Amino acid sequence: MDNSDTVQFIPDYLGAFEGSWTEQTPAEQVRFVVLDTETTSADSRTSRLITIGALAVNGGQILLGDAFEEMIALGYTSSSVAVHGITRDESREGVSEAAAIQSFLKYLRDGVIVGHHIGHDIETINRAAERNFGIKLENQSLDTMDLALHLKDDGAFSHRPEFEDFSLDALCDLFGVVPHDRHTAGGDAFITAQIFLRLLRIARKYDHNRLGALTVPYPT
């Protein structure tokens, strides 16, 4: 990795937040980055990244040309790697954790992170960013499960049969989203983006048109 490039990418990333989105920014103008990671365990204190998948949503559309996917070389065998359909050799062909984080932050910039149970993804990336560069994510975030719960409290689903399951699979059933490539980072990011678009359309009906009405602060 080029050290001069590493030195420059950190101020470039942090500088992207100058004049960035505020609570009053119309949601249609925001570049949302729908994120999913596959990790070695569910415990973000010890888990390591296997893959990062993301794609942008802006102006009510999924931008397939504005996407990111990277595999990280683990250097050892993990049962989680097999679960996600990645062979040992494929994992070894991935990039270093530092290179993956650097590339991801260059892609992410000041995008508002969106994901389902996004806390685990953010914490795992934060720990990787701290290990390699001594920084954490500065981005605002939005959890699709939290947004769905808030909209339910608003009465958005009162015309539907009562339900209490807000898992990603349950929301796929609710909105008629076909879960292709489930349990891959890129596949789950695309599935979540489709669900997010449907939630945004519902949110507009309840006058949740600005970023501050959608985001829930992520505890640091």
Side-chain angles (χ1 to χ4, degrees), residues 151-152 155-163 174-175 202 205-206:
L151 290 172
K152 184 184 181 187
F157 307 121
S158 59
H159 61 292
R160 298 176 181 268
E162 182 66 20
F163 64 95
L174 180 68
F175 292 122
I202 296 170
K205 295 178 182 178
Y206 288 83

Side-chain angles (χ1 to χ4, degrees), residues 32 40 89-90 96 110 112 117 131 135 137 141 160 164-165 170 173 178 180 183 197-199 201:
F32 295 100
T40 56
D89 289 341
E90 286 173 333
S96 69
D110 65 338
V112 175
H117 297 302
R131 271 194 300 272
I135 61 172
L137 292 170
S141 65
R160 298 176 181 268
E164 296 296 334
D165 186 353
D173 290 340
V178 179
H180 288 303
H183 300 302
L197 281 184
R198 286 158 172 80
L199 292 172
R201 294 188 192 110

